[in-house]
Structure formats: C-alpha cells, structure tokens
Amino acid sequence: MKGIISIQSHVVFGHAGNSSAVFPLQRMGMEVWPIHTVQFSNHTQYSQGWKGRAFSADDINQLVTGIDNIGKIADCQAALSGYQGSAEQCQAIINTVNTVKQQNPTALYVCDPVMGDPEKGCILADGITEQLINEVMPIADVIVPNQFELTQFTKMEINNLEQAKAACQKALSMGPKMVLVKHLHSVADDTFTMMLATESGCYITQRPQLEFDKQPVGVGDLISALFTGGLLNGMSEVDAFEHATNACYGVLKETHQRQEWELQTIAAQNELVNPSEKFRAKAV
C-alpha cells in the first residue's frame, strides 16, 4: 500500500486540515499516516471560538523518528504538509522531507503553503510566512498555493490569466516541479478557476461558483489531497488536476444541497473516486 505522511492541522468536529485530507486519500486507496500540527475542537471560523492546542516541532520530529524506527519511512511515497502552527514546525517539515527522500528519493513532497486569506485575515505566528517562502516551498516537488500565497512566493501581482501564468512560471523556476493554484479569484467572478503549471505546459479548469451563506473551510486541504492521491495512483499531471477539480466540486455540491458549511465529505464519498461532473482542463 502507498504510504503518505500528512502533517497538517486537525479538527475534532468538521473537515479541515488532516480532517479534510485523510479520508479522501484513504478512499482513493492510500495508507495515510497523519501527524497533527494543532488539534482544535473545530475550525477557527466559528464565532463561538474553539478549544485545543498546538503541538511542538519536537512532537512532529519524535513521531517521524518513531515511524523511522519501525522501518516504515522507506515505504513513504509522499509527504503532504498544510497549516503550520509555528516557524519551528516549518523546520520539522524540512527535517521530515529530508528523512523521507534519503530513504526514498522518488517520494513526492506536496506543500500547501497556508499563509491565510486576505478576506478572512492572515493569522499566523511570527516567522511562518518567511520560512514557507524562503525554505519550505523551494524544496517542494509540488506547491498548492491560492492566489494570495502565489503572489507572496513570487512577488508578482496577479490580476488576470496572463499574470497568473507568468507567476506560475516564475514559481517553477524557484524549485517546485508543479504548481497547482487552488483558486484564482481574479480571473472570473462567475466561475471557480484553478491553474496547473508544469514543465510541459499550463492549464486551467473552471467549474461553477457555488454560493454559500458561509464559505466552507478545508476546501484547499481537500484539493491538495485529491491531487496528491491522483498522482500516486498513476494519473498524469493533467488527469490528476481534473480529478481534483471534479471530486472537490462533487463534495461542494453535496454540501450546498444540504445547506451546510462544513464539508459533507463522508456523504459525498463516492465523488472522491468517481466524480459525477467532468470539467476538463484547457491549455492556456
């Protein structure tokens, strides 16, 4: 079985971070070894607040060491990282990636560089953004930023499709082999646009923009997981991109139909492996 170390946040109730990523990967046939950067009762967009705590970087390092001690790091085919609670945790991510690649040089590192969202506020501990930009993202095989995070990485303004394409191409020159922009909000108002850039070309997918009273949380975590799972299942880069688009939309459509704002990942689980919608990637 394919093994994936997923180092992200975790919520007890709902679907965000590992709670959004682990089950979809398992449903796609993966063995997932989740390591939590924080454990909260619920995601942080609830007006009532949340309970829980962050873990130390040493906690992450110890868990990876424990997996290594039983000889399983060599079976790890990908490391996936998301929300980090401290700059020290970023260093633990780097240590983990180095450990995995020493034993399995073909393993993928997929980095979702969570820096926040300008509309929700960028709430990060000191030093995380700098660590992500300068040390973590350059060593990734795949980065999965949103538009804001891509501008932070490349220092390029994005207001249209051509600028987004140029920013992706610059990002590819900075270390990563693939860039999946999980939301390009400046490209169109009535459709949800994602972009994939690789050495072979640049592509976009566009699907309907569903309107929610409160925007669901954990969508980016879901997209990163679906794309990672597709690649490890032998899909081409473009096929994995289309699968991430279509499967994520299936979950969102179920969530919308149920008038919920927590992702209805379990109810829509068949969409994770056999999406009912087929939005195709277009070369740009």
Side-chain angles (χ1 to χ4, degrees):
M1 294 290 286
K2 303 175 179 70
I4 301 172
I5 294 177
S6 181
I7 307 178
Q8 305 193 53
S9 60
H10 173 75
V11 292
V12 175
F13 174 81
H15 298 280
N18 269 333
S19 304
S20 184
V22 171
F23 176 73
L25 285 166
Q26 291 172 330
R27 192 66 174 78
M28 291 177 72
M30 311 288 155
E31 284 286 352
V32 189
W33 309 326
I35 296 176
H36 305 326
T37 56
V38 304
Q39 179 160 291
F40 292 161
S41 55
N42 48 273
H43 68 65
T44 60
Q45 299 304 308
Y46 279 85
S47 60
Q48 302 96 324
W50 68 93
K51 299 294 184 181
R53 68 180 184 91
F55 297 105
S56 71
D58 188 57
D59 289 325
I60 297 172
N61 290 327
Q62 286 193 37
L63 291 172
V64 174
T65 298
I67 297 171
D68 195 13
N69 288 344
I70 60 173
K72 291 302 176 182
I73 290 293
D75 295 334
C76 180
Q77 293 185 282
L80 171 62
S81 69
Y83 176 84
Q84 304 303 305
S86 68
E88 291 76 19
Q89 285 184 345
C90 291
Q91 285 299 313
I93 295 295
I94 294 170
N95 294 341
T96 301
V97 172
N98 289 338
T99 298
V100 169
K101 285 184 174 285
Q102 283 170 3
Q103 299 193 38
N104 185 1
T106 63
L108 284 177
Y109 171 39
V110 181
C111 172
D112 185 346
V114 180
M115 298 179 197
D117 186 316
E119 295 180 357
K120 296 179 182 177
C122 187
I123 306 172
L124 292 177
D126 291 343
I128 293 177
T129 295
E130 292 78 11
Q131 289 269 355
L132 287 170
I133 291 170
N134 297 324
E135 298 190 46
V136 181
M137 295 172 75
I139 69 169
D141 298 293
V142 183
I143 59 171
V144 191
N146 59 27
Q147 181 174 311
F148 170 72
E149 290 154 357
L150 181 61
T151 62
Q152 293 294 297
F153 186 45
T154 62
K155 309 302 182 190
M156 295 180 68
E157 186 176 354
I158 300 174
N159 294 308
N160 54 50
L161 191 61
E162 286 304 311
Q163 289 179 337
K165 184 176 177 181
C168 283
Q169 290 170 338
K170 181 175 180 181
L172 289 174
S173 74
M174 298 168 70
K177 301 176 183 66
M178 282 180 262
V179 179
L180 193 169
V181 189
K182 57 199 172 195
H183 186 199
L184 281 171
H185 62 263
S186 292
V187 171
D189 293 328
D190 57 341
T191 59
F192 188 96
T193 303
M194 302 202 305
M195 177 174 282
L196 174 70
T198 72
E199 294 176 354
S200 62
C202 195
Y203 309 85
I204 62 168
T205 55
Q206 292 184 302
R207 50 88 168 163
Q209 177 79 279
L210 299 173
E211 295 297 327
F212 291 88
D213 292 336
K214 295 181 180 180
Q215 283 300 313
V217 174
V219 177
D221 307 317
L222 176 60
I223 291 169
S224 298
L226 291 166
F227 186 64
T228 302
L231 292 175
L232 291 187
N233 270 338
M235 295 182 188
S236 70
E237 298 157 350
V238 174
D239 286 347
F241 180 44
E242 289 181 344
H243 179 78
T245 299
N246 297 329
C248 182
Y249 181 69
V251 174
L252 283 168
K253 189 168 64 171
E254 182 72 25
T255 305
H256 188 264
Q257 289 172 348
R258 291 173 180 256
Q259 298 183 326
E260 298 282 354
W261 74 308
E262 287 284 2
L263 291 175
Q264 298 299 294
T265 310
I266 307 302
Q269 62 181 278
N270 290 335
E271 295 284 341
L272 302 171
V273 292
N274 187 25
S276 55
E277 301 282 357
K278 306 294 182 184
F279 302 105
R280 298 300 182 188
K282 178 176 68 173
V284 293

